[in-house]
Amino acid sequence: MKILKNYINGSWLESRETQTKDVINPANQEVLAKVPFGENTGADVDAAVAAAGKAFNEWRETPVMKRVQPLYKLKHLLEEHIDEIARLITLECGKTFAESKAEMQRAIENVETACGTPMLIQSEFSENVATGIDEFMIRQPVGISAIISPFNFPGMIPFWFLPYAIACGNSVIVKPSEKVPLTMVRVFELMEQLDLPKGLINLVHGGKPSVDGLLDHPAVKAVSFVGSTNVARYIYQRGAANGKRVQAQGGAKNPVIVMPDADIETAAKIVADSVYGCAGQRCLAASNILTVGDSHGTVKEALVEAAKHKTTGFGLDEGIEMGPVITPESKARVENLIEKGVSEGANLLLDGRKAKINGYENGNFLKPTILENVALDGEVIQTEIFGPVMSLLHMDTLDEAIDFVNRNNYGNMACLFTSHGLNARTFRNRANAGNIGINIGVAAPMAQFPFSGWNNSFFGDLHGQGRHAIEFYTQTKIVIERWPKEWSRKF
Ligand code: NAD
């Protein structure tokens, strides 16, 4: 069985760690590879940091227009290999082939946006701020940057950061999730064709010891993290305590309100896609669905109808709309949360437990589940389920629904379905969430906008993607300059 190697200083190197963890296809438990996983992966980090440090010294002097040239080539490489990468994502992560491909499309859009860095990195200049004095700001790279990613978007999430980091003149070390490391390994194999300076991009496997190695190494200056809230908070605290700039995106529990004036049939279809897409394993998955006023009965019927027809199975098979969850432990956790919801008084409208998929009896499959009237003071209403489970609630007014949204500990996304502009305006003004959707089920910002997130969904100041990424990967330097007339040479 193949043991994955790290990519350090332009070469594929064996890890110092001999212990490994299996990389497993969640649809059938097939072992796809072994990834280094143990206490000694921290030593791999040291080697990667040394290489990244040397590359940074050269790269920071390279003009920005030259730094973006490899990104144009990268866009074409990713496009050429999109089907191959998408198949790999489905194999190790479980989502459907179409979902995997859509994820890579988002990755490519980030590469395209980062090609605009020569413009985005431009800064400010004020002439004559005082007599004979000019003042300006320049943006310089921060240095070695670490990117730590979660299992649910193995291809896209590193690209919220990597293209911007290198376009801004930094070197990077990517630490993919140990559950899905194959996608980044393949992407790095492709990136070898970019002829980047050795050590500019590095890939180190492992879990907590690798992450701690990055958080504690004094030469690492910036840390970009995406994952669960508890880990995000830890990364932010430990990284900041060590003097690094940190952006740490966490978990979510996303509410969606359906007003009686919405186009109910369309809204139900979009909401069901949001809840069950990627088997609910998206940080922008709708989870708590609130019907308002007299829409409850019709919305409920439409949602049950949309949910029960979702075809579940192996993501590479034709016609499959929903794949498995990532591990047997995740499946058991989701099943327990469904049980908990019922014990807290919810009515089980659809029960997706005991899903049997022909040919994939060992897969971590759950079918769409709907819990109605989940207890407002219970555990399920607040817990990120990260599985194909919808909690359906009813509120009398929009105000009541917004108050519910704003009691959420998270703040990744909140959506409203309505045909009234004033409802939409009120909602987007008052809802406490970083990404707002109006008649949208998954309010995922395009690459040119920051991927926002509030409360326990984000720790830091600047998010991934777009201008925020440029600001995160550069530090500002202010120059105040005086050239007295009396020093001038006379011609
Ligand atoms: P996770 O927190 O378990 O792991 C994320 C990364 O952190 C992995 O690379 C992992 O190796 C590392 N890690 C895990 N435990 C660690 C520890 N104790 N110390 C240091 N590093 C550790 O997350 P996951 O299960 O891979 O991903 C799912 C989570 O990510 C969900 O909560 C989801 O909402 C969240 N997510 C958030 C966003 C967002 O933009 N806010 C996007 C995608 C996923």
Side-chain angles (χ1 to χ4, degrees), residues 37 148-153 157 160 175-179 206-209 211-212 215 225-229 231-232 234-235 249-252 282-284 384 386 412 451-452 457:
F37 195 79
I148 302 156
S149 53
F151 82 80
N152 64 332
F153 283 93
I157 286 180
W160 286 355
K175 206 299 285 173
S177 163
E178 65 279 7
K179 296 189 180 104
K208 184 170 163 51
V211 173
D212 287 347
L215 292 173
F225 171 87
V226 182
S228 56
T229 286
V231 182
Y234 164 77
I235 301 275
Q249 313 216 176
R282 281 192 289 204
C283 68
L284 295 180
E384 179 178 40
F386 229 53
N412 220 32
F451 196 104
S452 193
S457 295

mmCIF file of all heavy atoms in Angstrom, residues 37 148-153 157 160 175-179 206-209 211-212 215 225-229 231-232 234-235 249-252 282-284 384 386 412 451-452 457, ligand 1:
data_model
loop_
_atom_site.group_PDB
_atom_site.id
_atom_site.type_symbol
_atom_site.label_atom_id
_atom_site.label_comp_id
_atom_site.label_asym_id
_atom_site.label_seq_id
_atom_site.Cartn_x
_atom_site.Cartn_y
_atom_site.Cartn_z
ATOM 1 N N PHE A 37 1.210 9.756 10.029
ATOM 2 C CA PHE A 37 0.347 10.310 11.082
ATOM 3 C C PHE A 37 0.919 9.891 12.427
ATOM 4 O O PHE A 37 0.837 8.735 12.816
ATOM 5 C CB PHE A 37 -1.083 9.773 10.914
ATOM 6 C CG PHE A 37 -2.108 10.533 11.688
ATOM 7 C CD1 PHE A 37 -2.584 11.746 11.221
ATOM 8 C CD2 PHE A 37 -2.604 10.042 12.888
ATOM 9 C CE1 PHE A 37 -3.542 12.465 11.926
ATOM 10 C CE2 PHE A 37 -3.558 10.748 13.606
ATOM 11 C CZ PHE A 37 -4.025 11.966 13.126
ATOM 12 N N ILE A 148 -3.907 25.231 6.596
ATOM 13 C CA ILE A 148 -4.350 23.977 7.233
ATOM 14 C C ILE A 148 -5.813 23.777 6.859
ATOM 15 O O ILE A 148 -6.662 24.626 7.157
ATOM 16 C CB ILE A 148 -4.192 24.080 8.768
ATOM 17 C CG1 ILE A 148 -2.725 24.375 9.116
ATOM 18 C CG2 ILE A 148 -4.668 22.800 9.451
ATOM 19 C CD1 ILE A 148 -2.549 25.060 10.464
ATOM 20 N N SER A 149 -6.123 22.657 6.193
ATOM 21 C CA SER A 149 -7.473 22.555 5.618
ATOM 22 C C SER A 149 -8.262 21.363 6.166
ATOM 23 O O SER A 149 -7.693 20.415 6.690
ATOM 24 C CB SER A 149 -7.369 22.512 4.087
ATOM 25 O OG SER A 149 -6.493 21.506 3.686
ATOM 26 N N PRO A 150 -9.602 21.415 6.011
ATOM 27 C CA PRO A 150 -10.486 20.373 6.544
ATOM 28 C C PRO A 150 -10.754 19.284 5.501
ATOM 29 O O PRO A 150 -10.293 19.391 4.359
ATOM 30 C CB PRO A 150 -11.759 21.154 6.829
ATOM 31 C CG PRO A 150 -11.802 22.167 5.747
ATOM 32 C CD PRO A 150 -10.382 22.519 5.403
ATOM 33 N N PHE A 151 -11.548 18.287 5.875
ATOM 34 C CA PHE A 151 -11.776 17.161 4.962
ATOM 35 C C PHE A 151 -12.829 17.455 3.899
ATOM 36 O O PHE A 151 -12.862 16.799 2.858
ATOM 37 C CB PHE A 151 -12.191 15.908 5.764
ATOM 38 C CG PHE A 151 -13.642 15.874 6.126
ATOM 39 C CD1 PHE A 151 -14.616 15.480 5.202
ATOM 40 C CD2 PHE A 151 -14.079 16.263 7.386
ATOM 41 C CE1 PHE A 151 -15.964 15.467 5.533
ATOM 42 C CE2 PHE A 151 -15.426 16.251 7.728
ATOM 43 C CZ PHE A 151 -16.364 15.852 6.793
ATOM 44 N N ASN A 152 -13.713 18.441 4.145
ATOM 45 C CA ASN A 152 -14.927 18.464 3.315
ATOM 46 C C ASN A 152 -14.773 19.148 1.959
ATOM 47 O O ASN A 152 -15.619 18.973 1.097
ATOM 48 C CB ASN A 152 -16.112 19.055 4.102
ATOM 49 C CG ASN A 152 -15.913 20.499 4.471
ATOM 50 O OD1 ASN A 152 -14.792 20.950 4.635
ATOM 51 N ND2 ASN A 152 -17.007 21.230 4.609
ATOM 52 N N PHE A 153 -13.701 19.939 1.773
ATOM 53 C CA PHE A 153 -13.410 20.479 0.440
ATOM 54 C C PHE A 153 -11.907 20.335 0.177
ATOM 55 O O PHE A 153 -11.160 21.317 0.206
ATOM 56 C CB PHE A 153 -13.841 21.954 0.333
ATOM 57 C CG PHE A 153 -15.319 22.132 0.174
ATOM 58 C CD1 PHE A 153 -16.140 22.336 1.272
ATOM 59 C CD2 PHE A 153 -15.908 22.069 -1.085
ATOM 60 C CE1 PHE A 153 -17.512 22.476 1.132
ATOM 61 C CE2 PHE A 153 -17.285 22.209 -1.233
ATOM 62 C CZ PHE A 153 -18.083 22.416 -0.123
ATOM 63 N N ILE A 157 -10.532 24.395 -0.723
ATOM 64 C CA ILE A 157 -10.174 25.280 0.394
ATOM 65 C C ILE A 157 -8.701 25.724 0.381
ATOM 66 O O ILE A 157 -8.438 26.918 0.577
ATOM 67 C CB ILE A 157 -10.639 24.684 1.739
ATOM 68 C CG1 ILE A 157 -12.162 24.871 1.806
ATOM 69 C CG2 ILE A 157 -9.949 25.367 2.930
ATOM 70 C CD1 ILE A 157 -12.854 24.357 3.038
ATOM 71 N N TRP A 160 -8.411 28.939 -1.461
ATOM 72 C CA TRP A 160 -8.865 30.226 -0.915
ATOM 73 C C TRP A 160 -7.644 31.045 -0.499
ATOM 74 O O TRP A 160 -7.756 32.242 -0.259
ATOM 75 C CB TRP A 160 -9.718 30.010 0.331
ATOM 76 C CG TRP A 160 -11.094 29.497 0.107
ATOM 77 C CD1 TRP A 160 -11.719 29.289 -1.087
ATOM 78 C CD2 TRP A 160 -12.032 29.121 1.122
ATOM 79 N NE1 TRP A 160 -12.981 28.797 -0.869
ATOM 80 C CE2 TRP A 160 -13.203 28.696 0.465
ATOM 81 C CE3 TRP A 160 -12.004 29.114 2.504
ATOM 82 C CZ2 TRP A 160 -14.331 28.261 1.155
ATOM 83 C CZ3 TRP A 160 -13.127 28.680 3.193
ATOM 84 C CH2 TRP A 160 -14.272 28.258 2.522
ATOM 85 N N LYS A 175 -0.977 21.916 4.838
ATOM 86 C CA LYS A 175 -1.186 20.706 5.647
ATOM 87 C C LYS A 175 -2.631 20.286 5.388
ATOM 88 O O LYS A 175 -3.556 20.807 5.984
ATOM 89 C CB LYS A 175 -0.969 21.034 7.134
ATOM 90 C CG LYS A 175 -0.543 19.873 8.012
ATOM 91 C CD LYS A 175 -1.519 18.735 8.067
ATOM 92 C CE LYS A 175 -2.740 18.993 8.908
ATOM 93 N NZ LYS A 175 -3.763 17.908 8.799
ATOM 94 N N PRO A 176 -2.832 19.318 4.448
ATOM 95 C CA PRO A 176 -4.207 18.904 4.156
ATOM 96 C C PRO A 176 -4.774 18.042 5.276
ATOM 97 O O PRO A 176 -4.027 17.555 6.129
ATOM 98 C CB PRO A 176 -4.054 18.071 2.871
ATOM 99 C CG PRO A 176 -2.653 17.585 2.875
ATOM 100 C CD PRO A 176 -1.832 18.558 3.688
ATOM 101 N N SER A 177 -6.077 17.831 5.258
ATOM 102 C CA SER A 177 -6.690 16.930 6.235
ATOM 103 C C SER A 177 -6.152 15.516 6.010
ATOM 104 O O SER A 177 -6.075 15.048 4.864
ATOM 105 C CB SER A 177 -8.208 16.939 6.069
ATOM 106 O OG SER A 177 -8.765 15.809 6.714
ATOM 107 N N GLU A 178 -5.829 14.834 7.090
ATOM 108 C CA GLU A 178 -5.322 13.447 6.984
ATOM 109 C C GLU A 178 -6.389 12.505 6.435
ATOM 110 O O GLU A 178 -6.076 11.416 5.965
ATOM 111 C CB GLU A 178 -4.830 12.962 8.352
ATOM 112 C CG GLU A 178 -5.894 12.817 9.433
ATOM 113 C CD GLU A 178 -6.262 14.138 10.114
ATOM 114 O OE1 GLU A 178 -5.784 15.205 9.664
ATOM 115 O OE2 GLU A 178 -7.035 14.094 11.097
ATOM 116 N N LYS A 179 -7.660 12.952 6.454
ATOM 117 C CA LYS A 179 -8.723 12.081 5.933
ATOM 118 C C LYS A 179 -8.759 12.106 4.401
ATOM 119 O O LYS A 179 -9.237 11.170 3.779
ATOM 120 C CB LYS A 179 -10.091 12.542 6.471
ATOM 121 C CG LYS A 179 -10.213 12.409 7.991
ATOM 122 C CD LYS A 179 -11.633 12.662 8.457
ATOM 123 C CE LYS A 179 -11.739 12.537 9.952
ATOM 124 N NZ LYS A 179 -11.833 13.838 10.628
ATOM 125 N N GLY A 206 -0.022 14.842 8.108
ATOM 126 C CA GLY A 206 -0.091 14.632 9.558
ATOM 127 C C GLY A 206 -1.310 15.282 10.171
ATOM 128 O O GLY A 206 -2.195 15.796 9.474
ATOM 129 N N GLY A 207 -1.355 15.255 11.509
ATOM 130 C CA GLY A 207 -2.462 15.842 12.253
ATOM 131 C C GLY A 207 -1.965 16.909 13.203
ATOM 132 O O GLY A 207 -1.177 17.778 12.819
ATOM 133 N N LYS A 208 -2.377 16.810 14.457
ATOM 134 C CA LYS A 208 -2.063 17.863 15.438
ATOM 135 C C LYS A 208 -0.556 18.164 15.568
ATOM 136 O O LYS A 208 -0.181 19.343 15.621
ATOM 137 C CB LYS A 208 -2.675 17.471 16.787
ATOM 138 C CG LYS A 208 -2.514 18.522 17.868
ATOM 139 C CD LYS A 208 -3.352 18.153 19.092
ATOM 140 C CE LYS A 208 -2.948 18.906 20.336
ATOM 141 N NZ LYS A 208 -2.864 20.350 20.208
ATOM 142 N N PRO A 209 0.339 17.142 15.611
ATOM 143 C CA PRO A 209 1.763 17.477 15.748
ATOM 144 C C PRO A 209 2.280 18.359 14.593
ATOM 145 O O PRO A 209 3.095 19.260 14.819
ATOM 146 C CB PRO A 209 2.462 16.112 15.759
ATOM 147 C CG PRO A 209 1.417 15.163 16.257
ATOM 148 C CD PRO A 209 0.122 15.668 15.699
ATOM 149 N N VAL A 211 0.409 20.437 12.834
ATOM 150 C CA VAL A 211 -0.218 21.753 13.010
ATOM 151 C C VAL A 211 0.497 22.526 14.125
ATOM 152 O O VAL A 211 0.836 23.709 13.969
ATOM 153 C CB VAL A 211 -1.728 21.594 13.318
ATOM 154 C CG1 VAL A 211 -2.358 22.939 13.672
ATOM 155 C CG2 VAL A 211 -2.450 20.962 12.134
ATOM 156 N N ASP A 212 0.763 21.852 15.224
ATOM 157 C CA ASP A 212 1.456 22.531 16.331
ATOM 158 C C ASP A 212 2.848 22.977 15.904
ATOM 159 O O ASP A 212 3.322 24.047 16.305
ATOM 160 C CB ASP A 212 1.531 21.606 17.554
ATOM 161 C CG ASP A 212 0.170 21.459 18.236
ATOM 162 O OD1 ASP A 212 -0.739 22.256 17.899
ATOM 163 O OD2 ASP A 212 0.014 20.567 19.081
ATOM 164 N N LEU A 215 2.344 26.119 14.143
ATOM 165 C CA LEU A 215 1.907 27.212 15.037
ATOM 166 C C LEU A 215 3.050 27.715 15.919
ATOM 167 O O LEU A 215 3.059 28.880 16.327
ATOM 168 C CB LEU A 215 0.762 26.729 15.939
ATOM 169 C CG LEU A 215 -0.557 26.417 15.258
ATOM 170 C CD1 LEU A 215 -1.529 25.799 16.250
ATOM 171 C CD2 LEU A 215 -1.171 27.676 14.649
ATOM 172 N N PHE A 225 -6.484 28.841 8.473
ATOM 173 C CA PHE A 225 -7.071 27.574 8.914
ATOM 174 C C PHE A 225 -8.547 27.529 8.559
ATOM 175 O O PHE A 225 -9.250 28.533 8.687
ATOM 176 C CB PHE A 225 -6.919 27.421 10.435
ATOM 177 C CG PHE A 225 -7.683 26.235 10.980
ATOM 178 C CD1 PHE A 225 -7.099 24.977 10.999
ATOM 179 C CD2 PHE A 225 -8.987 26.372 11.447
ATOM 180 C CE1 PHE A 225 -7.811 23.869 11.472
ATOM 181 C CE2 PHE A 225 -9.702 25.268 11.922
ATOM 182 C CZ PHE A 225 -9.107 24.020 11.942
ATOM 183 N N VAL A 226 -9.019 26.344 8.165
ATOM 184 C CA VAL A 226 -10.459 26.098 8.030
ATOM 185 C C VAL A 226 -10.745 24.735 8.644
ATOM 186 O O VAL A 226 -10.063 23.748 8.336
ATOM 187 C CB VAL A 226 -10.901 26.118 6.548
ATOM 188 C CG1 VAL A 226 -12.409 25.907 6.446
ATOM 189 C CG2 VAL A 226 -10.525 27.438 5.884
ATOM 190 N N GLY A 227 -11.745 24.670 9.511
ATOM 191 C CA GLY A 227 -12.102 23.407 10.153
ATOM 192 C C GLY A 227 -13.171 23.638 11.197
ATOM 193 O O GLY A 227 -13.929 24.607 11.122
ATOM 194 N N SER A 228 -13.221 22.774 12.190
ATOM 195 C CA SER A 228 -14.273 22.867 13.201
ATOM 196 C C SER A 228 -13.981 24.004 14.186
ATOM 197 O O SER A 228 -12.831 24.444 14.319
ATOM 198 C CB SER A 228 -14.382 21.538 13.941
ATOM 199 O OG SER A 228 -13.124 21.203 14.479
ATOM 200 N N THR A 229 -15.021 24.449 14.874
ATOM 201 C CA THR A 229 -14.879 25.640 15.718
ATOM 202 C C THR A 229 -13.863 25.460 16.854
ATOM 203 O O THR A 229 -13.051 26.355 17.090
ATOM 204 C CB THR A 229 -16.257 26.055 16.270
ATOM 205 O OG1 THR A 229 -16.966 26.651 15.192
ATOM 206 C CG2 THR A 229 -16.151 27.064 17.408
ATOM 207 N N VAL A 231 -11.254 23.598 17.067
ATOM 208 C CA VAL A 231 -9.873 23.627 16.561
ATOM 209 C C VAL A 231 -9.541 25.035 16.053
ATOM 210 O O VAL A 231 -8.445 25.549 16.289
ATOM 211 C CB VAL A 231 -9.648 22.540 15.485
ATOM 212 C CG1 VAL A 231 -8.198 22.554 15.007
ATOM 213 C CG2 VAL A 231 -9.992 21.155 16.028
ATOM 214 N N ALA A 232 -10.499 25.677 15.395
ATOM 215 C CA ALA A 232 -10.265 27.043 14.881
ATOM 216 C C ALA A 232 -9.902 27.989 16.029
ATOM 217 O O ALA A 232 -8.971 28.794 15.918
ATOM 218 C CB ALA A 232 -11.505 27.557 14.155
ATOM 219 N N TYR A 234 -8.604 27.189 18.917
ATOM 220 C CA TYR A 234 -7.287 26.786 19.411
ATOM 221 C C TYR A 234 -6.167 27.332 18.497
ATOM 222 O O TYR A 234 -5.178 27.887 18.962
ATOM 223 C CB TYR A 234 -7.246 25.250 19.465
ATOM 224 C CG TYR A 234 -5.877 24.656 19.588
ATOM 225 C CD1 TYR A 234 -5.201 24.658 20.801
ATOM 226 C CD2 TYR A 234 -5.239 24.091 18.479
ATOM 227 C CE1 TYR A 234 -3.932 24.111 20.911
ATOM 228 C CE2 TYR A 234 -3.987 23.531 18.584
ATOM 229 C CZ TYR A 234 -3.332 23.548 19.796
ATOM 230 O OH TYR A 234 -2.078 23.015 19.899
ATOM 231 N N ILE A 235 -6.383 27.190 17.192
ATOM 232 C CA ILE A 235 -5.378 27.660 16.211
ATOM 233 C C ILE A 235 -5.197 29.173 16.365
ATOM 234 O O ILE A 235 -4.078 29.685 16.375
ATOM 235 C CB ILE A 235 -5.860 27.353 14.766
ATOM 236 C CG1 ILE A 235 -6.088 25.872 14.557
ATOM 237 C CG2 ILE A 235 -4.957 27.997 13.708
ATOM 238 C CD1 ILE A 235 -4.938 25.031 14.197
ATOM 239 N N GLN A 249 -11.244 29.874 10.159
ATOM 240 C CA GLN A 249 -12.678 29.723 9.867
ATOM 241 C C GLN A 249 -13.181 28.451 10.554
ATOM 242 O O GLN A 249 -12.527 27.414 10.481
ATOM 243 C CB GLN A 249 -12.907 29.669 8.352
ATOM 244 C CG GLN A 249 -12.142 30.773 7.650
ATOM 245 C CD GLN A 249 -12.822 31.393 6.466
ATOM 246 O OE1 GLN A 249 -12.273 32.329 5.912
ATOM 247 N NE2 GLN A 249 -13.984 30.926 6.066
ATOM 248 N N GLY A 250 -14.312 28.549 11.234
ATOM 249 C CA GLY A 250 -14.812 27.423 12.027
ATOM 250 C C GLY A 250 -16.104 26.825 11.511
ATOM 251 O O GLY A 250 -16.453 26.970 10.339
ATOM 252 N N GLY A 251 -16.819 26.178 12.393
ATOM 253 C CA GLY A 251 -18.033 25.447 12.032
ATOM 254 C C GLY A 251 -19.248 26.346 11.880
ATOM 255 O O GLY A 251 -19.133 27.582 11.889
ATOM 256 N N ALA A 252 -20.419 25.731 11.766
ATOM 257 C CA ALA A 252 -21.618 26.513 11.443
ATOM 258 C C ALA A 252 -22.892 25.774 11.830
ATOM 259 O O ALA A 252 -22.871 24.567 12.082
ATOM 260 C CB ALA A 252 -21.640 26.791 9.943
ATOM 261 N N ARG A 282 -21.194 20.547 4.569
ATOM 262 C CA ARG A 282 -20.705 21.836 4.074
ATOM 263 C C ARG A 282 -20.858 22.843 5.194
ATOM 264 O O ARG A 282 -21.873 22.829 5.899
ATOM 265 C CB ARG A 282 -21.569 22.333 2.894
ATOM 266 C CG ARG A 282 -21.265 21.688 1.603
ATOM 267 C CD ARG A 282 -21.925 22.396 0.457
ATOM 268 N NE ARG A 282 -23.369 22.207 0.418
ATOM 269 C CZ ARG A 282 -24.102 22.316 -0.675
ATOM 270 N NH1 ARG A 282 -23.538 22.612 -1.821
ATOM 271 N NH2 ARG A 282 -25.412 22.155 -0.631
ATOM 272 N N CYS A 283 -19.909 23.763 5.288
ATOM 273 C CA CYS A 283 -20.056 24.792 6.323
ATOM 274 C C CYS A 283 -21.177 25.754 5.956
ATOM 275 O O CYS A 283 -21.614 26.539 6.775
ATOM 276 C CB CYS A 283 -18.755 25.541 6.521
ATOM 277 S SG CYS A 283 -18.323 26.531 5.095
ATOM 278 N N LEU A 284 -21.658 25.685 4.699
ATOM 279 C CA LEU A 284 -22.782 26.527 4.288
ATOM 280 C C LEU A 284 -24.041 25.686 4.043
ATOM 281 O O LEU A 284 -24.941 26.094 3.312
ATOM 282 C CB LEU A 284 -22.438 27.343 3.043
ATOM 283 C CG LEU A 284 -21.326 28.386 3.223
ATOM 284 C CD1 LEU A 284 -21.078 29.139 1.910
ATOM 285 C CD2 LEU A 284 -21.650 29.392 4.326
ATOM 286 N N GLU A 384 -23.808 21.685 15.395
ATOM 287 C CA GLU A 384 -23.512 21.465 13.975
ATOM 288 C C GLU A 384 -23.587 19.963 13.726
ATOM 289 O O GLU A 384 -22.765 19.198 14.248
ATOM 290 C CB GLU A 384 -22.115 21.987 13.616
ATOM 291 C CG GLU A 384 -21.782 21.746 12.152
ATOM 292 C CD GLU A 384 -20.425 22.286 11.719
ATOM 293 O OE1 GLU A 384 -19.457 22.160 12.485
ATOM 294 O OE2 GLU A 384 -20.345 22.833 10.604
ATOM 295 N N PHE A 386 -23.549 18.296 10.644
ATOM 296 C CA PHE A 386 -22.643 17.906 9.566
ATOM 297 C C PHE A 386 -23.044 16.561 8.962
ATOM 298 O O PHE A 386 -22.223 15.651 8.772
ATOM 299 C CB PHE A 386 -21.194 17.889 10.068
ATOM 300 C CG PHE A 386 -20.277 18.650 9.135
ATOM 301 C CD1 PHE A 386 -20.564 19.945 8.761
ATOM 302 C CD2 PHE A 386 -19.124 18.065 8.628
ATOM 303 C CE1 PHE A 386 -19.740 20.650 7.892
ATOM 304 C CE2 PHE A 386 -18.289 18.761 7.757
ATOM 305 C CZ PHE A 386 -18.603 20.058 7.398
ATOM 306 N N ASN A 412 -22.111 31.746 10.284
ATOM 307 C CA ASN A 412 -21.502 31.572 8.963
ATOM 308 C C ASN A 412 -22.430 32.061 7.864
ATOM 309 O O ASN A 412 -22.031 32.820 6.995
ATOM 310 C CB ASN A 412 -21.156 30.086 8.749
ATOM 311 C CG ASN A 412 -19.826 29.923 8.066
ATOM 312 O OD1 ASN A 412 -18.924 30.741 8.261
ATOM 313 N ND2 ASN A 412 -19.692 28.884 7.275
ATOM 314 N N PHE A 451 -14.635 35.222 1.939
ATOM 315 C CA PHE A 451 -15.523 34.204 2.490
ATOM 316 C C PHE A 451 -15.718 34.562 3.949
ATOM 317 O O PHE A 451 -14.901 34.245 4.801
ATOM 318 C CB PHE A 451 -14.908 32.809 2.347
ATOM 319 C CG PHE A 451 -15.904 31.719 2.543
ATOM 320 C CD1 PHE A 451 -16.408 31.017 1.456
ATOM 321 C CD2 PHE A 451 -16.355 31.395 3.812
ATOM 322 C CE1 PHE A 451 -17.347 30.020 1.633
ATOM 323 C CE2 PHE A 451 -17.292 30.395 3.993
ATOM 324 C CZ PHE A 451 -17.789 29.700 2.898
ATOM 325 N N SER A 452 -16.819 35.235 4.233
ATOM 326 C CA SER A 452 -16.987 35.819 5.560
ATOM 327 C C SER A 452 -17.387 34.763 6.584
ATOM 328 O O SER A 452 -17.278 33.558 6.344
ATOM 329 C CB SER A 452 -18.017 36.946 5.480
ATOM 330 O OG SER A 452 -17.975 37.698 6.655
ATOM 331 N N SER A 457 -17.997 31.130 14.051
ATOM 332 C CA SER A 457 -17.639 30.597 12.734
ATOM 333 C C SER A 457 -16.347 31.211 12.211
ATOM 334 O O SER A 457 -15.872 30.822 11.132
ATOM 335 C CB SER A 457 -18.757 30.865 11.719
ATOM 336 O OG SER A 457 -19.915 30.158 12.071
HETATM 337 P P1 NAD B 1 -11.213 19.536 11.917
HETATM 338 O O1 NAD B 1 -11.203 20.749 12.762
HETATM 339 O O2 NAD B 1 -11.361 18.211 12.568
HETATM 340 O O3 NAD B 1 -9.841 19.446 11.076
HETATM 341 C C1 NAD B 1 -9.368 20.526 10.300
HETATM 342 C C2 NAD B 1 -7.841 20.471 10.238
HETATM 343 O O4 NAD B 1 -7.312 20.625 11.553
HETATM 344 C C3 NAD B 1 -7.292 19.151 9.706
HETATM 345 O O5 NAD B 1 -6.223 19.449 8.843
HETATM 346 C C4 NAD B 1 -6.840 18.414 10.951
HETATM 347 O O6 NAD B 1 -5.727 17.583 10.732
HETATM 348 C C5 NAD B 1 -6.465 19.542 11.911
HETATM 349 N N1 NAD B 1 -6.745 19.234 13.318
HETATM 350 C C6 NAD B 1 -7.741 18.443 13.802
HETATM 351 N N2 NAD B 1 -7.713 18.421 15.150
HETATM 352 C C7 NAD B 1 -6.691 19.221 15.523
HETATM 353 C C8 NAD B 1 -6.162 19.624 16.793
HETATM 354 N N3 NAD B 1 -6.698 19.177 17.918
HETATM 355 N N4 NAD B 1 -5.111 20.451 16.808
HETATM 356 C C9 NAD B 1 -4.578 20.908 15.664
HETATM 357 N N5 NAD B 1 -5.026 20.577 14.439
HETATM 358 C C10 NAD B 1 -6.074 19.740 14.359
HETATM 359 O O7 NAD B 1 -12.344 19.765 10.801
HETATM 360 P P2 NAD B 1 -12.904 18.722 9.741
HETATM 361 O O8 NAD B 1 -13.743 17.715 10.436
HETATM 362 O O9 NAD B 1 -11.817 18.258 8.845
HETATM 363 O O10 NAD B 1 -13.832 19.692 8.860
HETATM 364 C C11 NAD B 1 -15.178 19.934 9.121
HETATM 365 C C12 NAD B 1 -15.379 21.237 9.855
HETATM 366 O O11 NAD B 1 -14.851 22.312 9.106
HETATM 367 C C13 NAD B 1 -16.856 21.579 10.080
HETATM 368 O O12 NAD B 1 -17.016 22.081 11.372
HETATM 369 C C14 NAD B 1 -17.125 22.649 9.041
HETATM 370 O O13 NAD B 1 -18.194 23.522 9.349
HETATM 371 C C15 NAD B 1 -15.819 23.372 9.029
HETATM 372 N N6 NAD B 1 -15.650 24.139 7.798
HETATM 373 C C16 NAD B 1 -15.736 25.494 7.891
HETATM 374 C C17 NAD B 1 -15.641 26.268 6.735
HETATM 375 C C18 NAD B 1 -15.753 27.768 6.825
HETATM 376 O O14 NAD B 1 -15.474 28.429 5.846
HETATM 377 N N7 NAD B 1 -16.148 28.337 7.938
HETATM 378 C C19 NAD B 1 -15.435 25.642 5.501
HETATM 379 C C20 NAD B 1 -15.342 24.252 5.462
HETATM 380 C C21 NAD B 1 -15.442 23.504 6.617
#
